[in-house]
């Protein structure tokens, strides 16, 4: 009988739970259309369920005529987006995670103090785009630690970090950056729920042969969870739903670890575990 172990910290973080509460409350108490600017979380099932309740995800405010309510998701947006919403006469409900607001504020602070700002994160991720907007566009976005060696930098450099980055990568960035600066001020703004999930995944990945990481393929924090599991030597599979589980992954395996990103509902992780147990009960897992 294979043993399946769940990471101690996995699934929804409080920022996502808070955002979903805001969406449900807004949908129940608002007359007229309610939209989220982008999917509220990186989970297709949850987004589809909200859509059935009348809350549609839109990609851009350009899709909307005047009026109605728009909800800003946990990743936050640049000030220009609030401005555009106001010009369109939209009611804005802000579900930006307070820990993302902290990154935005630290970025503004560093710019105001005269530091050249580095945002360490994925330049295509909405959180990074929003933070860049709050910094007035005056920043260099660094995606990979070694990229900083190519960047032209003045003497005073300040750093903020995308909330869902990996802690080890921040260490690597600073090892490249520190020798190049006269003055360096760093706010390590990786959020605590991300750190807890990465630590728990790392610990479990050291003790099992196979790790299953459940969550959206476009979810930054889920992808980083898969990376830390691989770094610990566990054979790791990143899946979005139970149907992706393949029996051959578990040939000769006695212990399986399961974790999930901060935007993955607990029930989805439980369904994945149930799927593995079903395959085993039906003798469909290779010995
Ligand atoms: S992962 Fe962190 S920053 Fe993002 S919503 Fe959750 S708590 Fe907030």
């Amino acid at each position: 009988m294979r043993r399946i172990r769940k990471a101690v910290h996995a699934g929804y973080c409080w920022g996502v739970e808070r955002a979903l509460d805001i969406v449900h409350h807004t949908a129940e108490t608002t007359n007229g259309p309610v939209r989220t600017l982008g999917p509220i979380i990186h989970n297709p099932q949850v987004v589809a369920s909200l859509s059935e309740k009348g809350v549609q995800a839109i990609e851009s405010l350009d899709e909307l005529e005047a009026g109605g309510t728009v909800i800003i998701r946990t990743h936050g947006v640049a000030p220009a987006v609030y401005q555009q919403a106001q010009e369109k006469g939209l009611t804005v409900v802000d579900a930006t995670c307070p820990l993302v607001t902290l990154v935005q504020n630290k970025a503004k602070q560093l710019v105001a103090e005269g530091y050249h700002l580095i945002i360490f994160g994925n330049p295509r991720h909405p959180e990074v785009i929003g933070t860049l907007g709050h910094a007035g566009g005056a920043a260099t976005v660094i995606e990979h630690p070694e990229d900083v060696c190519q960047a032209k930098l003045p003497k005073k450099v300040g750093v903020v970090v995308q909330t869902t980055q990996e802690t080890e990568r921040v260490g690597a960035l600073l090892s490249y950056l520190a020798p190049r600066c006269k003055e360096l001020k760093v706010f390590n703004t990786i959020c605590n729920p991300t750190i807890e999930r990465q630590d728990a995944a790392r610990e479990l990945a050291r003790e099992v042969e196979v790790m299953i990481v459940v969550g959206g393929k476009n979810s930054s924090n889920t992808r980083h969870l898969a990376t830390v599991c691989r770094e610990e030597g566990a054979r790791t599979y990143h899946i979005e739903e139970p149907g992706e589980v393949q029996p051959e992954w578990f040939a000769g395996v006695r212990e399986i670890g399961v974790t999930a990103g901060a935007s993955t509902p607990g029930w989805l992780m439980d369904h994945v575990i149930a799927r593995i147990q079903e395959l085993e009960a039906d003798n469909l897992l290779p010995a």
Side-chain angles (χ1 to χ4, degrees), residues 12-17 19 74-75 95-100 103 127 163-164 189-194 197 221 262-263:
Y12 278 171
C13 61
W14 64 264
V16 164
E17 283 181 344
T74 55
H75 303 316
T96 304
C97 177
L99 298 181
V100 172
V103 186
E127 178 189 320
T163 52
T164 49
T189 41
I190 298 178
C191 71
N192 275 343
T194 291
R197 277 153 189 71
N221 77 84
S263 54

Side-chain angles (χ1 to χ4, degrees), residues 165-178:
Q165 274 293 322
E166 272 172 67
T167 45
E168 276 70 14
R169 296 182 86 234
V170 176
L173 173 83
L174 297 182
S175 72
Y176 288 116
L177 193 53

Side-chain angles (χ1 to χ4, degrees), residues 54-110:
V55 181
Q56 308 291 337
I58 54 162
E59 287 307 316
S60 158
L61 294 184
D62 296 337
E63 294 172 36
L64 297 182
E65 300 300 324
T69 298
V70 68
I71 301 175
I72 306 297
R73 59 187 171 172
T74 55
H75 303 316
V77 291
V81 178
Y82 293 100
Q83 178 72 32
Q84 190 188 1
Q86 196 181 21
E87 284 163 10
K88 283 185 168 262
L90 300 166
T91 302
V92 173
V93 174
D94 199 345
T96 304
C97 177
L99 298 181
V100 172
T101 306
L102 182 78
V103 186
Q104 297 166 349
N105 289 340
K106 292 297 183 193
K108 280 189 279 193
Q109 179 190 326
L110 286 168

Side-chain angles (χ1 to χ4, degrees), residues 117-121 140-149 151 153 157-162 165-181 184-188:
L117 180 67
I118 285 183
I119 304 173
F120 182 47
T140 303
V141 179
I142 297 289
E143 183 169 17
H144 305 292
E146 59 277 15
D147 293 350
V148 84
C149 301
L153 299 174
V157 173
V159 178
V160 294
V161 182
Q162 185 181 352
Q165 274 293 322
E166 272 172 67
T167 45
E168 276 70 14
R169 296 182 86 234
V170 176
L173 173 83
L174 297 182
S175 72
Y176 288 116
L177 193 53
R180 301 193 56 210
C181 307
L184 178 61
K185 189 166 181 177
V186 180
F187 292 109
N188 184 352

